[in-house]
Amino acid sequence: AKAAYVRLPQLGIGFAGAGAPMHTHHAALNALFVGRKRWFLAPPRLAFWTFKPSAEWAASAHCERLRAEGELVEVTQNAGDLVFVPEGWGHATLLEEYCVGVGQEFIPNTSMSS
């Protein structure tokens, strides 16, 4: 039996100021080939979904509160870097410059969502 399966890779291309709003999914490995991307990560107990654009959310009182409480992990990903997001972690991205990257979700058979 397979221990896990993978979804099709997701290609991401965008200009500075673009990004993905806060959301969750299975564990994913994210490679950046061109550019610089800012990641905002929240542990599963604080994870949520929103349609609010990333730049707007990053400037919000909610984001500031998570920062002040030490509950928000912020990472800057540069070209050539890999970022691993564990299953269930909330995350949003904000492109600081033109970016090209790819993300790959891994879904273990032990996942609660598999």
Side-chain angles (χ1 to χ4, degrees):
K2 290 184 181 180
Y5 64 96
V6 295
R7 291 196 171 160
L8 293 173
Q10 299 174 0
L11 177 66
I13 301 172
F15 292 96
M22 188 64 78
H23 63 284
T24 65
H25 51 67
H26 297 285
L29 188 61
N30 301 274
L32 190 63
F33 304 117
V34 174
R36 188 175 63 245
K37 182 187 294 190
R38 198 159 138 208
W39 287 82
F40 304 88
L41 300 113
R45 66 184 172 76
L46 298 173
F48 63 95
W49 282 74
T50 184
F51 291 110
K52 187 177 283 193
S54 303
E56 188 178 327
W57 183 80
S60 73
H62 184 214
C63 182
E64 285 301 320
R65 190 182 82 245
L66 290 175
R67 274 189 192 112
E69 294 171 355
E71 297 285 5
L72 187 67
V73 177
E74 292 185 66
V75 175
T76 298
Q77 182 182 25
N78 294 295
D81 291 344
L82 296 174
V83 171
F84 177 75
V85 179
E87 180 172 0
W89 275 66
H91 55 286
T93 60
L94 181 59
L95 282 53
E96 295 183 339
E97 55 189 48
Y98 177 79
C99 290
V100 178
V102 67
Q104 180 71 65
E105 285 184 63
F106 298 87
I107 305 162
N109 285 337
T110 58
S111 169
M112 293 176 62
S113 304
S114 63

